[in-house]
């Protein structure tokens, strides 16, 4: 099968050739377990792009049929003259002929968001943070359950205990419930906040990144995949958009806000059972730390 497609590739996607285990096929992604111990995902929607994700502009059903996961099956990704091919068990299952390929990095967008955030007045930043917190509360009032780190559970109590330890917050690596551990999601939001806070927080961000790097073996594959992106400053598309919206609104550049903040919050909270909310909790913690 040969498919013509345009391709968006995350900044941390390894260059072919490589062989990976087919780890899962879902409604929005196909997960490949790369030999480096982290996932590479083929995502259905461009809005789900991440540092180790690839978006192919093709019929999703065709792709998932070609890459039907089965225990023990291996997928080898091979570079071809005009694209790449997926080999399953030594058989070429699909060859993608690239019409257009682009590597996606969000660093310039996040740098601009950080500039807007730092240029905004103290009062405006606090107004936006209060709005963000209120929109999260509104979603709970509308029926979103409290769970994980966000209720009086063994996880939330342990989370508070971890804050009193000298290795906070690096000790969150691998901590908590979820396919991606809640602590890893929290750290992803927190690292982004430190980057948005500006050069006075650069040393703290660099130190935390080193401490997280040393602890990557403590988390699972999904957590490691997420943290590799956070360590590189390559946040998921939805989080990048949210940060840009917060910064633009704080600076009064509402025309540059991709969506209004309530929409961004709802979209964020839709990620996983609590992954989106855990990430927002880390983001709020980091941004309010500067204001304090």
């Amino acid at each position: 099968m040969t498919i013509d497609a345009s391709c968006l590739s995350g900044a941390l996607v390894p260059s072919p050739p490589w062989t990976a285990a087919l780890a899962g096929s879902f409604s929005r992604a196909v997960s490949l377990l790369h030999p480096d111990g982290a996932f590479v995902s083929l995502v259905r929607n461009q809005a789900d792009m991440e540092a180790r994700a690839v978006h192919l502009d093709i019929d999703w059903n065709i792709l998932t049929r070609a890459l039907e996961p089965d225990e023990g099956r291996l997928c080898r990704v091979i570079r071809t003259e005009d694209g790449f091919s997926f080999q399953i068990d030594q058989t070429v299952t699909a060859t993608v002929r690239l019409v257009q390929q682009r590597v996606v990095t969000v660093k310039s967008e996040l740098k601009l968001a950080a500039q807007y955030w730092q240029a905004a007045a103290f009062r405006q930043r606090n107004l936006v943070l209060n709005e963000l917190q209120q929109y999260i509360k509104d979603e709970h009032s509308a029926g979103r359950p409290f769970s994980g780190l966000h209720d009086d559970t063994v996880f939330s109590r342990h989370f508070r205990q971890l804050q009193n330890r000298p290795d906070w917050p690096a000790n969150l690596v691998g901590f908590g419930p979820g396919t991606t551990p809640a602590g890893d999601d929290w750290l992803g939001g927190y690292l982004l906040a430190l980057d948005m806070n500006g050069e006075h927080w650069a040393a703290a961000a660099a130190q935390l990144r080193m401490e997280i790097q040393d602890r990557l073996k403590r988390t699972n594959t999904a957590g490691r995949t997420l943290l590799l992106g956070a360590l590189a400053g390559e946040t998921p598309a939805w989080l990048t958009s949210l940060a840009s919206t917060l910064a633009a609104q704080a600076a009064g550049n509402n025309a540059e806000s991709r969506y209004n903040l309530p929409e961004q919050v709802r979209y964020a909270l839709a990620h996983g059972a609590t992954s989106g909310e855990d990430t927002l909790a880390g983001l709020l913690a980091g941004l309010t730390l500067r204001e304090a």
Side-chain angles (χ1 to χ4, degrees), residues 146-163 168 172 175-177 182:
F146 289 95
S147 58
L149 304 181
H150 312 284
D151 197 4
D152 187 19
T153 66
V154 62
F155 292 113
S156 62
R157 291 192 290 272
H158 193 190
F159 178 82
R160 290 191 292 271
Q161 293 171 0
L162 290 175
Q163 295 182 51
W168 169 265
L172 288 176
F175 168 76

Side-chain angles (χ1 to χ4, degrees), residues 57-242:
D57 188 16
I58 61 176
D59 186 305
W60 184 251
N61 292 325
I62 292 176
L63 182 66
T64 53
R65 283 198 300 269
L67 301 179
E68 184 74 33
D70 189 15
E71 186 175 354
R73 300 180 82 195
L74 295 178
C75 174
R76 181 162 175 78
V77 181
I78 301 173
R79 176 71 66 186
T80 63
E81 183 176 346
D82 54 0
F84 49 86
S85 65
F86 299 99
Q87 287 188 351
I88 306 294
D89 296 336
Q90 307 303 314
T91 301
V92 177
T93 302
T95 297
V96 177
R97 188 164 49 208
L98 296 181
V99 177
Q100 181 181 15
Q101 183 177 25
R102 181 164 62 93
V103 176
V104 179
T105 177
V106 299
K107 286 187 175 180
S108 59
E109 186 172 351
L110 291 178
K111 182 178 180 181
L112 182 61
Q115 291 172 349
Y116 282 156
W117 187 253
Q118 295 158 42
F122 172 85
R123 179 176 178 275
Q124 290 303 119
R125 290 197 304 267
N126 274 277
L127 283 174
V128 170
L129 292 178
N130 288 337
E131 286 183 20
L132 175 57
Q133 291 173 309
Q134 185 59 52
Y135 292 140
I136 296 172
K137 291 179 182 178
D138 290 344
E139 291 300 307
H140 283 295
S141 297
R144 178 179 175 80
F146 289 95
S147 58
L149 304 181
H150 312 284
D151 197 4
D152 187 19
T153 66
V154 62
F155 292 113
S156 62
R157 291 192 290 272
H158 193 190
F159 178 82
R160 290 191 292 271
Q161 293 171 0
L162 290 175
Q163 295 182 51
N164 297 320
R165 297 185 183 178
D167 57 348
W168 169 265
N171 55 15
L172 288 176
V173 173
F175 168 76
T179 303
T180 305
D184 298 342
D185 289 313
W186 192 98
L187 285 168
Y190 188 78
L191 275 173
L192 173 57
L194 293 186
D195 292 339
M196 289 180 66
N197 284 345
E199 61 181 17
H200 295 298
W201 295 85
Q207 179 64 33
L208 179 56
R209 281 185 162 92
M210 286 192 295
E211 293 174 2
I212 291 173
Q213 182 71 49
D214 291 341
R215 290 168 167 80
L216 284 179
K217 291 183 179 180
R218 298 185 182 184
T219 190
N220 62 17
T221 305
R224 192 174 304 114
T225 304
L226 180 147
L227 289 175
L228 286 172
L231 292 175
E234 295 287 349
T235 60
W238 67 268
L239 184 54
T240 303
S241 295
L242 176 64

